[in-house]
Short mmCIF file of all heavy atoms in Angstrom, two decimals:
data_model
loop_
_atom_site.label_atom_id
_atom_site.label_comp_id
_atom_site.label_asym_id
_atom_site.label_seq_id
_atom_site.Cartn_x
_atom_site.Cartn_y
_atom_site.Cartn_z
N LYS A 123 -0.87 -9.97 -20.37
CA LYS A 123 -0.67 -8.64 -19.82
C LYS A 123 0.44 -7.91 -20.56
O LYS A 123 1.40 -8.48 -21.03
CB LYS A 123 -0.29 -8.74 -18.34
CG LYS A 123 -1.39 -9.31 -17.47
CD LYS A 123 -0.90 -9.36 -16.03
CE LYS A 123 -1.97 -9.91 -15.11
NZ LYS A 123 -1.50 -10.01 -13.73
N ASN A 124 0.27 -6.60 -20.64
CA ASN A 124 1.36 -5.79 -21.18
C ASN A 124 2.45 -5.68 -20.16
O ASN A 124 2.21 -5.60 -18.96
CB ASN A 124 0.86 -4.38 -21.51
CG ASN A 124 -0.15 -4.40 -22.63
OD1 ASN A 124 -0.02 -5.16 -23.57
ND2 ASN A 124 -1.15 -3.54 -22.52
N PHE A 125 3.67 -5.67 -20.62
CA PHE A 125 4.78 -5.47 -19.71
C PHE A 125 5.92 -4.83 -20.46
O PHE A 125 5.98 -4.86 -21.69
CB PHE A 125 5.24 -6.79 -19.05
CG PHE A 125 5.67 -7.84 -20.04
CD1 PHE A 125 6.97 -7.87 -20.53
CD2 PHE A 125 4.76 -8.79 -20.47
CE1 PHE A 125 7.35 -8.82 -21.42
CE2 PHE A 125 5.16 -9.75 -21.38
CZ PHE A 125 6.44 -9.77 -21.85
N VAL A 126 6.82 -4.24 -19.66
CA VAL A 126 7.99 -3.59 -20.26
C VAL A 126 9.23 -4.23 -19.66
O VAL A 126 9.40 -4.24 -18.46
CB VAL A 126 8.01 -2.07 -19.95
CG1 VAL A 126 9.23 -1.44 -20.59
CG2 VAL A 126 6.74 -1.43 -20.47
N LEU A 127 10.07 -4.81 -20.52
CA LEU A 127 11.32 -5.39 -20.06
C LEU A 127 12.38 -4.31 -20.01
O LEU A 127 12.50 -3.52 -20.94
CB LEU A 127 11.77 -6.50 -21.01
CG LEU A 127 10.93 -7.78 -21.00
CD1 LEU A 127 11.46 -8.72 -22.07
CD2 LEU A 127 11.00 -8.43 -19.66
N PHE A 128 13.13 -4.31 -18.90
CA PHE A 128 14.19 -3.33 -18.74
C PHE A 128 15.54 -3.99 -18.95
O PHE A 128 15.82 -5.01 -18.37
CB PHE A 128 14.17 -2.75 -17.32
CG PHE A 128 13.11 -1.74 -17.15
CD1 PHE A 128 12.02 -2.02 -16.35
CD2 PHE A 128 13.18 -0.51 -17.77
CE1 PHE A 128 11.03 -1.10 -16.18
CE2 PHE A 128 12.20 0.41 -17.60
CZ PHE A 128 11.13 0.12 -16.80
N SER A 129 16.41 -3.40 -19.73
CA SER A 129 17.76 -3.90 -19.84
C SER A 129 18.70 -3.00 -19.09
O SER A 129 18.35 -1.90 -18.71
CB SER A 129 18.18 -3.98 -21.30
OG SER A 129 18.79 -2.78 -21.68
N VAL A 130 19.91 -3.49 -18.86
CA VAL A 130 20.87 -2.78 -18.07
C VAL A 130 21.89 -2.13 -19.00
O VAL A 130 22.64 -2.82 -19.65
CB VAL A 130 21.55 -3.77 -17.12
CG1 VAL A 130 22.51 -3.06 -16.21
CG2 VAL A 130 20.50 -4.46 -16.31
N SER A 131 21.90 -0.76 -19.18
CA SER A 131 22.81 -0.02 -20.04
C SER A 131 23.05 1.36 -19.45
O SER A 131 22.36 1.74 -18.54
CB SER A 131 22.25 0.07 -21.45
OG SER A 131 21.04 0.76 -21.41
N LEU A 132 23.99 2.12 -19.92
CA LEU A 132 24.36 3.39 -19.30
C LEU A 132 23.38 4.50 -19.62
O LEU A 132 22.82 4.55 -20.70
CB LEU A 132 25.76 3.80 -19.77
CG LEU A 132 26.89 2.88 -19.31
CD1 LEU A 132 28.18 3.32 -19.98
CD2 LEU A 132 27.05 2.93 -17.82
N PHE A 133 23.20 5.42 -18.66
CA PHE A 133 22.45 6.64 -18.94
C PHE A 133 22.78 7.68 -17.88
O PHE A 133 23.34 7.37 -16.84
CB PHE A 133 20.94 6.37 -18.97
CG PHE A 133 20.28 6.49 -17.62
CD1 PHE A 133 19.56 7.62 -17.28
CD2 PHE A 133 20.41 5.46 -16.70
CE1 PHE A 133 18.97 7.70 -16.05
CE2 PHE A 133 19.81 5.56 -15.47
CZ PHE A 133 19.09 6.67 -15.14
N THR A 134 22.41 8.93 -18.17
CA THR A 134 22.52 9.99 -17.19
C THR A 134 21.20 10.72 -17.16
O THR A 134 20.44 10.69 -18.11
CB THR A 134 23.63 11.01 -17.55
OG1 THR A 134 23.34 11.53 -18.84
CG2 THR A 134 25.00 10.34 -17.55
N GLY A 135 20.92 11.40 -16.04
CA GLY A 135 19.64 12.10 -15.95
C GLY A 135 19.48 12.76 -14.61
O GLY A 135 20.40 12.77 -13.81
N ILE A 136 18.30 13.27 -14.38
CA ILE A 136 18.00 14.01 -13.16
C ILE A 136 16.93 13.27 -12.39
O ILE A 136 15.92 12.86 -12.95
CB ILE A 136 17.50 15.43 -13.48
CG1 ILE A 136 18.58 16.17 -14.27
CG2 ILE A 136 17.15 16.18 -12.21
CD1 ILE A 136 18.12 17.51 -14.78
N PHE A 137 17.17 13.06 -11.11
CA PHE A 137 16.18 12.38 -10.26
C PHE A 137 14.97 13.28 -10.06
O PHE A 137 15.10 14.46 -9.78
CB PHE A 137 16.82 12.07 -8.91
CG PHE A 137 15.83 11.61 -7.87
CD1 PHE A 137 15.31 10.33 -7.93
CD2 PHE A 137 15.42 12.47 -6.89
CE1 PHE A 137 14.40 9.93 -7.00
CE2 PHE A 137 14.50 12.05 -5.95
CZ PHE A 137 14.00 10.78 -6.01
N MET A 138 13.78 12.70 -10.23
CA MET A 138 12.53 13.44 -10.06
C MET A 138 11.87 13.01 -8.77
O MET A 138 11.53 11.85 -8.61
CB MET A 138 11.59 13.15 -11.24
CG MET A 138 12.17 13.55 -12.59
SD MET A 138 12.53 15.30 -12.71
CE MET A 138 10.87 15.96 -12.65
N LEU A 139 11.68 13.91 -7.86
CA LEU A 139 11.01 13.63 -6.60
C LEU A 139 9.55 13.98 -6.72
O LEU A 139 9.20 15.06 -7.17
CB LEU A 139 11.64 14.46 -5.47
CG LEU A 139 10.99 14.33 -4.09
CD1 LEU A 139 11.20 12.92 -3.56
CD2 LEU A 139 11.59 15.34 -3.13
N ILE A 140 8.69 13.03 -6.34
CA ILE A 140 7.25 13.29 -6.36
C ILE A 140 6.92 14.18 -5.18
O ILE A 140 7.10 13.80 -4.03
CB ILE A 140 6.46 11.98 -6.27
CG1 ILE A 140 6.81 11.09 -7.46
CG2 ILE A 140 4.96 12.22 -6.22
CD1 ILE A 140 6.17 9.72 -7.42
N GLY A 141 6.45 15.36 -5.43
CA GLY A 141 6.20 16.34 -4.37
C GLY A 141 4.76 16.37 -3.93
O GLY A 141 3.88 15.82 -4.57
N PHE A 142 4.52 17.02 -2.82
CA PHE A 142 3.16 17.19 -2.30
C PHE A 142 2.67 18.57 -2.68
O PHE A 142 3.36 19.56 -2.46
CB PHE A 142 3.17 17.04 -0.77
CG PHE A 142 1.83 17.28 -0.15
CD1 PHE A 142 0.78 16.42 -0.40
CD2 PHE A 142 1.62 18.38 0.66
CE1 PHE A 142 -0.45 16.64 0.18
CE2 PHE A 142 0.39 18.60 1.22
CZ PHE A 142 -0.65 17.73 0.99
N SER A 143 1.49 18.62 -3.29
CA SER A 143 1.05 19.89 -3.83
C SER A 143 -0.13 20.50 -3.09
O SER A 143 -0.53 21.61 -3.39
CB SER A 143 0.64 19.69 -5.30
OG SER A 143 -0.39 18.74 -5.41
N GLY A 144 -0.66 19.77 -2.13
CA GLY A 144 -1.84 20.30 -1.46
C GLY A 144 -1.53 20.90 -0.11
O GLY A 144 -0.49 20.67 0.47
N LYS A 145 -2.46 21.68 0.43
CA LYS A 145 -2.35 22.23 1.77
C LYS A 145 -3.57 21.83 2.56
O LYS A 145 -4.64 21.64 2.04
CB LYS A 145 -2.27 23.76 1.73
CG LYS A 145 -1.05 24.32 1.00
CD LYS A 145 -1.07 25.82 1.05
CE LYS A 145 0.12 26.41 0.30
NZ LYS A 145 0.10 27.88 0.33
N LYS A 146 -3.39 21.68 3.86
CA LYS A 146 -4.51 21.37 4.73
C LYS A 146 -4.68 22.53 5.70
O LYS A 146 -3.71 23.11 6.17
CB LYS A 146 -4.25 20.07 5.50
CG LYS A 146 -4.18 18.86 4.57
CD LYS A 146 -4.04 17.61 5.37
CE LYS A 146 -4.07 16.38 4.50
NZ LYS A 146 -2.93 16.29 3.61
N MET A 147 -5.92 22.83 6.02
CA MET A 147 -6.20 23.92 6.92
C MET A 147 -5.50 23.67 8.26
O MET A 147 -5.47 22.56 8.76
CB MET A 147 -7.72 24.00 7.14
CG MET A 147 -8.16 25.19 7.98
SD MET A 147 -9.95 25.34 8.00
CE MET A 147 -10.39 23.79 8.77
N SER A 148 -4.93 24.68 8.83
CA SER A 148 -4.21 24.66 10.10
C SER A 148 -2.80 24.10 9.97
O SER A 148 -2.07 24.05 10.94
CB SER A 148 -4.97 23.83 11.16
OG SER A 148 -6.23 24.40 11.40
N GLU A 149 -2.40 23.67 8.77
CA GLU A 149 -1.03 23.23 8.58
C GLU A 149 -0.23 24.36 7.93
O GLU A 149 -0.78 25.15 7.16
CB GLU A 149 -0.97 21.99 7.68
CG GLU A 149 -1.62 20.77 8.31
CD GLU A 149 -1.47 19.56 7.42
OE1 GLU A 149 -0.87 19.67 6.34
OE2 GLU A 149 -1.97 18.50 7.82
N PRO A 150 1.06 24.43 8.23
CA PRO A 150 1.87 25.47 7.60
C PRO A 150 2.05 25.17 6.12
O PRO A 150 1.90 24.04 5.68
CB PRO A 150 3.21 25.36 8.35
CG PRO A 150 3.25 23.94 8.82
CD PRO A 150 1.81 23.59 9.13
N ALA A 151 2.38 26.18 5.36
CA ALA A 151 2.62 25.98 3.94
C ALA A 151 3.78 25.02 3.76
O ALA A 151 4.74 25.01 4.53
CB ALA A 151 2.94 27.32 3.26
N VAL A 152 3.70 24.20 2.73
CA VAL A 152 4.76 23.25 2.45
C VAL A 152 6.00 24.00 2.00
O VAL A 152 5.95 24.89 1.16
CB VAL A 152 4.31 22.26 1.36
CG1 VAL A 152 5.47 21.36 0.95
CG2 VAL A 152 3.15 21.43 1.88
N ILE A 153 7.13 23.63 2.57
CA ILE A 153 8.39 24.27 2.22
C ILE A 153 8.99 23.53 1.04
O ILE A 153 9.24 22.33 1.10
CB ILE A 153 9.36 24.22 3.42
CG1 ILE A 153 8.69 24.83 4.67
CG2 ILE A 153 10.65 24.93 3.09
CD1 ILE A 153 8.30 26.26 4.51
N ASN A 154 9.24 24.22 -0.06
CA ASN A 154 9.81 23.59 -1.24
C ASN A 154 11.34 23.54 -1.11
O ASN A 154 12.07 24.20 -1.83
CB ASN A 154 9.41 24.34 -2.50
CG ASN A 154 7.93 24.24 -2.76
OD1 ASN A 154 7.36 23.16 -2.62
ND2 ASN A 154 7.31 25.34 -3.11
N SER A 155 11.79 22.77 -0.15
CA SER A 155 13.22 22.61 0.08
C SER A 155 13.55 21.14 0.14
O SER A 155 12.67 20.32 0.30
CB SER A 155 13.61 23.29 1.41
OG SER A 155 12.91 22.68 2.48
N PRO A 156 14.84 20.78 0.01
CA PRO A 156 15.21 19.37 0.04
C PRO A 156 14.81 18.71 1.35
O PRO A 156 14.75 19.34 2.40
CB PRO A 156 16.74 19.40 -0.12
CG PRO A 156 17.02 20.71 -0.77
CD PRO A 156 15.99 21.65 -0.24
N VAL A 157 14.54 17.40 1.29
CA VAL A 157 14.21 16.64 2.49
C VAL A 157 15.40 16.64 3.43
O VAL A 157 16.53 16.40 3.02
CB VAL A 157 13.84 15.19 2.10
CG1 VAL A 157 13.54 14.38 3.35
CG2 VAL A 157 12.65 15.20 1.17
N ASN A 158 15.14 16.90 4.70
CA ASN A 158 16.22 16.94 5.67
C ASN A 158 16.06 15.78 6.64
O ASN A 158 15.27 15.83 7.56
CB ASN A 158 16.17 18.28 6.44
CG ASN A 158 17.25 18.35 7.50
OD1 ASN A 158 18.30 17.73 7.37
ND2 ASN A 158 16.98 19.10 8.56
N ILE A 159 16.77 14.69 6.38
CA ILE A 159 16.70 13.54 7.26
C ILE A 159 17.83 13.64 8.27
O ILE A 159 19.00 13.62 7.93
CB ILE A 159 16.84 12.22 6.45
CG1 ILE A 159 15.76 12.17 5.36
CG2 ILE A 159 16.76 11.02 7.36
CD1 ILE A 159 14.36 12.19 5.90
N VAL A 160 17.47 13.76 9.54
CA VAL A 160 18.47 13.98 10.58
C VAL A 160 18.96 12.65 11.14
O VAL A 160 18.32 11.63 11.02
CB VAL A 160 17.89 14.84 11.71
CG1 VAL A 160 17.46 16.19 11.19
CG2 VAL A 160 16.72 14.13 12.39
N GLU A 161 20.13 12.71 11.77
CA GLU A 161 20.66 11.52 12.41
C GLU A 161 19.98 11.34 13.76
O GLU A 161 19.43 12.26 14.36
CB GLU A 161 22.18 11.67 12.61
CG GLU A 161 22.96 11.70 11.31
CD GLU A 161 22.80 10.42 10.52
OE1 GLU A 161 22.77 9.34 11.15
OE2 GLU A 161 22.70 10.50 9.30
N CYS A 162 20.04 10.09 14.26
CA CYS A 162 19.44 9.77 15.55
C CYS A 162 20.20 10.47 16.67
O CYS A 162 21.42 10.47 16.69
CB CYS A 162 19.51 8.27 15.77
SG CYS A 162 17.96 7.55 16.25
N GLN A 163 19.49 11.06 17.58
CA GLN A 163 20.15 11.67 18.71
C GLN A 163 19.21 11.66 19.90
O GLN A 163 17.98 11.69 19.75
CB GLN A 163 20.57 13.11 18.39
CG GLN A 163 19.47 13.96 17.79
CD GLN A 163 19.98 15.28 17.29
OE1 GLN A 163 20.68 15.98 18.00
NE2 GLN A 163 19.65 15.65 16.07
N THR A 164 19.76 11.60 21.09
CA THR A 164 18.96 11.57 22.30
C THR A 164 18.54 12.99 22.67
O THR A 164 19.39 13.87 22.85
CB THR A 164 19.77 10.97 23.47
OG1 THR A 164 20.20 9.66 23.10
CG2 THR A 164 18.92 10.91 24.73
N PRO A 165 17.23 13.25 22.75
CA PRO A 165 16.77 14.60 23.09
C PRO A 165 17.22 15.00 24.49
O PRO A 165 17.31 14.17 25.39
CB PRO A 165 15.24 14.49 23.02
CG PRO A 165 14.99 13.23 22.24
CD PRO A 165 16.13 12.33 22.53
N ALA A 166 17.49 16.28 24.67
CA ALA A 166 17.93 16.78 25.97
C ALA A 166 16.76 17.43 26.70
O ALA A 166 15.81 17.92 26.11
CB ALA A 166 19.06 17.79 25.77
N ASN A 167 16.85 17.43 28.03
CA ASN A 167 15.89 18.14 28.90
C ASN A 167 14.45 17.69 28.69
O ASN A 167 13.53 18.51 28.68
CB ASN A 167 16.01 19.65 28.67
CG ASN A 167 17.41 20.16 28.91
OD1 ASN A 167 18.07 19.73 29.86
ND2 ASN A 167 17.87 21.06 28.05
N VAL A 168 14.25 16.38 28.51
CA VAL A 168 12.90 15.84 28.39
C VAL A 168 12.72 14.77 29.45
O VAL A 168 13.57 13.89 29.61
CB VAL A 168 12.67 15.22 26.99
CG1 VAL A 168 11.29 14.58 26.93
CG2 VAL A 168 12.80 16.29 25.92
#
């Protein structure tokens, strides 16, 4: 099998996020903004 060996050395670069490019009917348009992961919290008035 073909394989690629990786060595450990310095580099700099930009992280590439794989985005979603499609839309589904009845869904809102995808917002091209950073992922917003919220902290855990207990919902109120439920």
Side-chain angles (χ1 to χ4, degrees):
K123 295 180 179 178
N124 294 322
F125 59 85
V126 180
L127 290 176
F128 282 110
S129 91
V130 183
S131 61
L132 294 174
F133 88 102
T134 57
I136 300 173
F137 169 75
M138 300 299 293
L139 177 66
I140 300 175
F142 176 66
S143 59
K145 297 181 182 179
K146 295 184 176 66
M147 185 172 62
S148 299
E149 295 183 0
V152 174
I153 306 299
N154 293 317
S155 61
V157 178
N158 178 28
I159 304 299
V160 299
E161 293 298 321
C162 230
Q163 50 189 310
T164 302
N167 303 320
V168 176

